Amino acid sequence: MNPDTREKLMGVSVATLCSALYKRGLKNQTIQDVRPVRPKGRNMVGPAFTLRYMPAREDRNPMSVFRDPKHPQRHAIETCPEGSVLVMDSRKDPRAASAGDILITRLMVRGGAGVVTDGGFRDAMTIGELDIPAYHNRPSSPTNLTLHEAIDINVPIGCGDVAVFPGDIMVGDDDSVIVIPKEIADEIADEAVEMTAYEDFVTERVKAGQTIIGLYPATDESNLALFAEWRNQNGR
């Protein structure tokens, strides 16, 4: 992805991105029921590389399938491009794990920018200690084979009721994860930076005792003049 866009998205919140996307009619881009395994205090940003699970069937999913070097779960970990976010469609079912700490450690060492599942992780406490940002529904111990079969790599998926296409830009903060269509990622990043500057100005004014009426949103033109002065003073 555009390095400048990546840098801009590292400094904006998912909430602000929601508003920017909503202005363009995109109302359902925040992945539902997914949260950080452990907050990192920094954003996760990268293009989506996807893995799709389907319901498991006992005759297809004995433990021996993991011996196959092309097993989709293992293959996804070994082929996810550096700087990308592995996004898994686990059918919104955290009863069986999408992956565990060894696989996520391997993804991190290979340069993955993050990992997201609408299911669960086993060894979640250990994953939380890793440097890689990781998001899931909740901890889960059973292997994915008990309920989920990894079936497709880098295809359109649904994750937490949101459509995710390969290459879409994923942004996660300490609250949640959002999906930005790759075609508009640059303009959304630009707008979010502008929105964040104004929101920081507003927060400062509100803490100083100013009313939000006319300030948020800026329906009083005098506030825009004050904002311009604030930006100049703060290099924003």
Side-chain angles (χ1 to χ4, degrees), residues 20 50 80 90 98 100 105 150 155-156 167-168 209:
T50 64
C80 180
S90 287
S98 305
T105 299
V155 297
D168 282 347

Side-chain angles (χ1 to χ4, degrees), residues 17-37:
L17 292 168
C18 282
S19 297
L21 289 166
Y22 179 67
K23 292 177 183 178
R24 289 161 175 78
L26 294 167
K27 304 175 183 179
N28 185 43
Q29 299 303 116
T30 304
I31 296 180
Q32 298 300 303
D33 297 320
V34 164
R35 55 197 60 83
V37 175

Side-chain angles (χ1 to χ4, degrees), residues 89-190:
D89 172 3
S90 287
R91 306 164 49 238
K92 300 191 298 180
D93 188 348
R95 293 177 297 159
S98 305
D101 66 316
I102 293 175
L103 270 64
I104 303 308
T105 299
R106 175 60 179 162
L107 179 67
M108 177 185 70
V109 169
R110 292 193 61 256
V115 58
V116 181
T117 177
D118 59 4
F121 287 128
R122 64 195 307 183
D123 317 303
M125 291 183 65
T126 303
I127 291 173
E129 294 171 357
L130 298 175
D131 190 53
I132 187 171
Y135 297 79
H136 70 165
N137 181 295
R138 60 174 171 80
S140 180
S141 292
T143 172
N144 63 286
L145 299 175
T146 60
L147 289 173
H148 312 308
E149 177 179 348
I151 196 71
D152 279 324
I153 296 176
N154 221 29
V155 297
I157 62 170
C159 184
D161 290 323
V162 179
V164 182
F165 291 83
D168 282 347
I169 304 304
M170 310 296 298
V171 181
D173 60 15
D174 284 348
D175 287 334
S176 52
V177 179
I178 196 165
V179 184
I180 306 174
K182 58 185 175 182
E183 297 81 6
I184 60 171
D186 294 348
E187 63 185 80
I188 290 293
D190 288 340

